[in-house]
Amino acid sequence: MRLEPKPAPSLALTLLFPVAAIVATLLITSLLVLAAGASPLSVFYLVAKGAAGSQFALLETLTRATPLIFTGLAVAVAFRAKLWNIGAEAQLYVGGIVTVVLGTGALPLPSIVLIPVIMLVAMIAGGLLLLGPAALKTRFGVDEVVTTLLLNFIVLLFVSMLLEGVLKDPMGLGWPQSQKVIAEAQLPRIIQGKRLHYGFVIALVSAIVVWVIMKKAVLGYEMRAVGHNPEGARFVGIPVNRVLMKTALLSGGLAALAGFSEVSGLKGNLTLDLSPGYGYSGIVVAMLAMLNPLGVIASAIFVAGIFVGADAMSRTAKVPSYIADVMVATSLLTMVVAILLTRFKVRWR
């Protein structure tokens, strides 16, 4: 078997393969559902109903999708330039740390000023965190997959130290959590009494801005060139290392916004379980979107719907909610195969 490069695929074919990947995921997951003694059609119906069968379910799905849009954008930006950022989880927590430090009264500013300031500082902190692995890659050739992955564990331990030390809430009855951010640092809810907040709107705007950068700006062209052929980009005068540094700042900043939105818009404080793996799930979101910033919105809602719907389904169908993790992981694998088939033709000898 050998792989031969294909010419640029048509738009219809480009859209067909992600759909085929989702269908393949459902077929594979059906086998596990059958093994659990349930009907696949019934389980998938309950997942869909739990994700969008009511206003409450739909709003919960959009709430869960908000940090996934940010981390999906972070991964899409980095992967486009072939900067393999596996550390969105760490950057998310750094964004949460900044939000708590600045949002618990350190800056006596009105909400209209304080929230943008926190967002900006969080983005800078997340970008600087990824700048280290990017510098090691460009200067010494250190594999950024290893460095960014290990940073996830380092930052989580750092958060644990902070929550047991300087950031620990003295009124928290001993629980490892920070103080609540003040009202001026909180994102308002889109619908009063519901959990969906304006972080979702910021995520949508971020996706549009990133799409404009990727498609219309010089930086986006340079990122695509570096990702496609770094040596060719260097030959025509594109500063490859500088482009990777800018990509790191943008990618890390977007992931940090996920931590900001979770603390400022939803949780109100910083805890060790702020993220159930949004940074890692962002990789799936970006791959399902084929690294398209606008596609990230749809894929994030899809992945969030699986998680929210699976929680509701497990209470009715008696199938473990862990089936959602299997579906998300399988969708990543099938999507990788789909991307491979869009770019290469399989030849059998």
Side-chain angles (χ1 to χ4, degrees):
M1 183 185 74
R2 70 178 188 274
L3 299 176
E4 295 181 355
K6 283 183 179 181
S10 64
L11 177 62
L13 191 62
T14 302
L15 296 175
L16 176 63
F17 276 109
V19 175
I22 293 174
V23 172
T25 298
L26 295 178
L27 291 175
I28 294 171
T29 309
S30 296
L31 300 177
L32 298 176
V33 173
L34 287 171
S39 166
L41 291 178
S42 175
V43 166
F44 294 147
Y45 168 75
L46 290 173
V47 170
K49 183 179 178 182
S54 65
Q55 183 195 55
F56 173 80
L58 182 58
L59 292 178
E60 281 298 302
T61 296
L62 297 180
T63 301
R64 184 78 69 95
T66 299
L68 291 176
I69 294 175
F70 285 122
T71 56
L73 289 173
V75 173
V77 165
F79 281 21
R80 182 60 72 186
K82 284 190 169 56
L83 178 66
W84 309 115
N85 178 17
I86 315 298
E89 190 84 355
Q91 295 137 29
L92 180 154
Y93 273 97
V94 166
I97 293 172
V98 170
T99 304
V100 166
V101 171
L102 299 182
T104 50
L107 297 177
L109 298 172
S111 181
I112 195 172
V113 177
L114 181 58
I115 289 178
V117 167
I118 295 175
M119 289 175 59
L120 178 61
V121 177
M123 290 188 70
I124 293 173
L128 291 177
L129 184 66
L130 184 55
L131 202 62
L136 290 174
K137 172 188 174 73
T138 56
R139 182 67 179 86
F140 302 107
V142 178
D143 189 349
E144 73 274 21
V145 172
V146 176
T147 51
T148 54
L149 178 63
L150 292 179
L151 272 177
N152 291 332
F153 302 99
I154 294 172
V155 170
L156 197 59
L157 289 172
F158 180 65
V159 171
S160 179
M161 180 190 73
L162 292 177
L163 294 181
E164 293 290 352
V166 294
L167 293 185
K168 189 171 184 177
D169 183 4
M171 305 298 291
L173 301 178
W175 290 100
Q177 63 184 33
S178 72
Q179 296 183 54
K180 292 279 186 179
V181 296
I182 60 177
E184 290 78 6
Q186 294 178 13
L187 291 171
R189 302 297 168 94
I190 294 178
I191 300 176
Q192 292 301 319
K194 306 297 182 181
R195 297 192 339 139
L196 184 64
H197 52 84
Y198 273 92
F200 180 70
V201 177
I202 296 173
L204 296 182
V205 173
S206 299
I208 295 172
V209 171
V210 171
W211 180 84
V212 171
I213 292 173
M214 296 297 296
K215 297 297 183 182
K216 306 296 182 180
V218 174
L219 176 59
Y221 169 78
E222 292 176 336
M223 289 165 58
R224 296 198 306 273
V226 170
H228 184 70
N229 188 337
E231 293 304 320
R234 187 176 284 109
F235 179 78
V236 298
I238 294 176
V240 173
N241 290 352
R242 188 183 305 169
V243 170
L244 288 175
M245 294 295 116
K246 293 178 180 178
T247 302
L249 288 172
L250 179 57
S251 176
L254 288 166
L257 284 181
F260 157 77
S261 71
E262 286 297 282
V263 172
S264 182
L266 189 63
K267 303 293 181 64
N269 62 354
L270 179 63
T271 59
L272 280 175
D273 60 351
L274 178 68
S275 167
Y278 290 135
Y280 301 109
S281 298
I283 299 173
V284 181
V285 169
M287 295 303 293
L288 284 177
M290 299 187 73
L291 307 185
N292 185 304
L294 298 182
V296 163
I297 298 172
S299 60
I301 293 174
F302 171 74
V303 172
I306 290 177
F307 284 122
V308 173
D311 289 338
M313 175 274 302
S314 65
R315 294 190 291 269
T316 304
K318 306 303 180 184
V319 175
S321 61
Y322 292 111
I323 196 71
D325 297 310
V326 176
M327 292 179 68
V328 170
T330 305
S331 66
L332 173 60
L333 296 177
T334 54
M335 193 62 208
V336 169
V337 174
I339 292 174
L340 180 69
L341 294 178
T342 60
R343 298 181 180 178
F344 297 94
K345 184 184 296 183
V346 180
R347 291 289 189 184
W348 297 92
R349 294 180 180 177

